[in-house]
Amino acid sequence: MTKKGDNMDVLMLEDVNKSFETELGSLEVLKNINFTIKEGEIVSIIGPSGSGKSTILNIISGLLSPTSGKVITNGEIGYMFQKDHLLEWRTIWKNINLGLEIKKEETLEKQVFLENLLTKYGLIDFKNNYPYELSGGMRQRIALIRTLAIQPSLLLLDEPFSALDYQTRLMVSDDVYQIIKDTNTSAILVTHDISEAIAMSDKIIVLSKRPASIISIHEISIECEERTPLKTRTSKEFREYFDMIWNELNEEK
């Protein structure tokens, strides 16, 4: 696997803490979160339910402010949620151009970029269709291309495959991985699925139960001529990573 140590940082979290005020007092959710994302790197965040994984994404995106600590970003951020949020009354082409339309950046160069992505991933014939005419897997691919339209330096993915059946989930994760790598976009994937995290990621951040701190950060190195999520699942290293992370998470229960 290509080492990314020489690539520039697109994101740094320094001693990030987050608490919410409730009727019962202050609820501490995140405690001293520190990590860095490099250019072109896919990083998964995994941890117990309610440990604050999505809260981290919301802080990075600016939807929430940390109680203390620093978030340093380099470039634009794209956010892809669990639901595709495609607008049913707009064609696929108008859906993927929505962000550019809002930002008034519908340049020829960016239109060609989107045309090429649709063509490469077998979706160009559906550009004039409407979202309700597409399968769940196709809708997720379209949602990703729409998010990439603004060409963000960092992509946030909040359990983007959770609504898909298992077979479709495996196929779409392969496509999403390839799209992210082909565009050299850095990405953070929040998931509950250890196998998905290993298959998709260059690095995995394991969180403790709330208040969440970082238990470990695993650099994922797979001996594979051409790595894809499906091929990673069949590698000899896959089971070793799975058992290690499984044991870390079970110690938290």
Side-chain angles (χ1 to χ4, degrees):
M1 187 183 76
T2 302
K3 296 296 182 184
K4 299 183 182 298
D6 295 330
N7 289 4
M8 72 174 187
D9 296 340
V10 297
L11 173 73
M12 292 180 64
L13 268 66
E14 297 181 352
D15 294 323
V16 168
N17 295 274
K18 181 63 180 177
S19 298
F20 293 97
E21 294 304 318
T22 72
E23 293 180 356
L24 301 177
S26 182
L27 176 66
E28 189 178 17
V29 178
L30 301 176
K31 185 174 182 180
N32 297 330
I33 302 296
N34 292 274
F35 64 83
T36 301
I37 308 293
K38 301 287 186 183
E39 183 181 24
E41 192 172 48
I42 300 178
V43 177
S44 284
I45 300 177
I46 195 164
S49 181
S51 61
K53 298 182 292 296
S54 294
T55 300
I56 291 175
L57 291 194
N58 288 335
I59 288 173
I60 292 169
S61 68
L63 293 175
L64 289 175
S65 297
T67 304
S68 63
K70 290 182 180 179
V71 178
I72 303 167
T73 58
N74 181 14
E76 193 144 14
I77 295 173
Y79 204 151
M80 184 173 166
F81 299 91
Q82 291 181 24
K83 294 183 179 179
D84 58 59
H85 295 295
L86 297 178
L87 303 178
E88 301 293 342
W89 61 90
R90 292 176 69 107
T91 64
I92 296 308
W93 183 250
K94 288 188 175 181
N95 262 286
I96 65 173
N97 271 280
L98 182 61
L100 297 177
E101 184 181 317
I102 292 170
K103 293 166 69 68
K104 301 188 186 307
E105 294 180 359
E106 294 177 278
T107 64
L108 177 60
E109 181 184 0
K110 292 186 177 181
Q111 301 297 292
V112 170
F113 172 73
L114 292 178
E115 288 267 7
N116 288 340
L117 281 180
L118 288 176
T119 300
K120 186 167 186 176
Y121 296 100
L123 295 164
I124 192 66
D125 291 339
F126 299 92
K127 64 181 290 187
N128 295 319
N129 287 66
Y130 290 86
Y132 65 84
E133 298 177 291
L134 305 186
S135 68
M138 292 169 73
R139 289 177 66 114
Q140 287 301 95
R141 293 181 185 95
I142 293 296
L144 175 60
I145 291 172
R146 179 186 60 187
T147 308
L148 291 173
I150 61 171
Q151 296 178 274
S153 58
L154 178 64
L155 179 66
L156 307 179
L157 303 163
D158 191 357
E159 298 202 59
F161 314 123
S162 60
L164 303 176
D165 64 79
Y166 185 70
Q167 184 177 1
T168 303
R169 188 170 181 150
L170 291 179
M171 294 171 62
V172 172
S173 67
D174 248 36
D175 281 347
V176 168
Y177 176 88
Q178 203 59 57
I179 292 170
I180 292 171
K181 287 299 183 182
D182 286 349
T183 56
N184 197 38
T185 306
S186 304
I188 302 177
L189 169 69
V190 160
T191 179
H192 286 91
D193 188 329
I194 300 173
S195 296
E196 185 172 88
I198 298 167
M200 292 284 291
S201 305
D202 300 307
K203 186 161 68 182
I204 298 175
I205 297 169
V206 183
L207 297 181
S208 70
K209 61 187 176 182
R210 194 175 66 232
S213 59
I214 295 177
I215 298 173
S216 61
I217 298 178
H218 297 276
E219 298 278 352
I220 305 301
S221 181
I222 303 294
E223 295 296 326
C224 188
E225 188 173 332
E226 184 182 355
R227 185 181 168 186
T228 68
L230 281 175
K231 288 179 180 176
T232 296
R233 289 172 184 265
T234 64
S235 70
K236 61 183 178 61
E237 297 91 354
F238 181 86
R239 174 52 62 181
E240 296 171 7
Y241 285 121
F242 186 96
D243 289 345
M244 194 184 313
I245 295 169
W246 173 267
N247 289 333
E248 288 175 346
L249 290 173
N250 275 303
E251 286 174 3
E252 284 298 299
K253 291 183 178 179

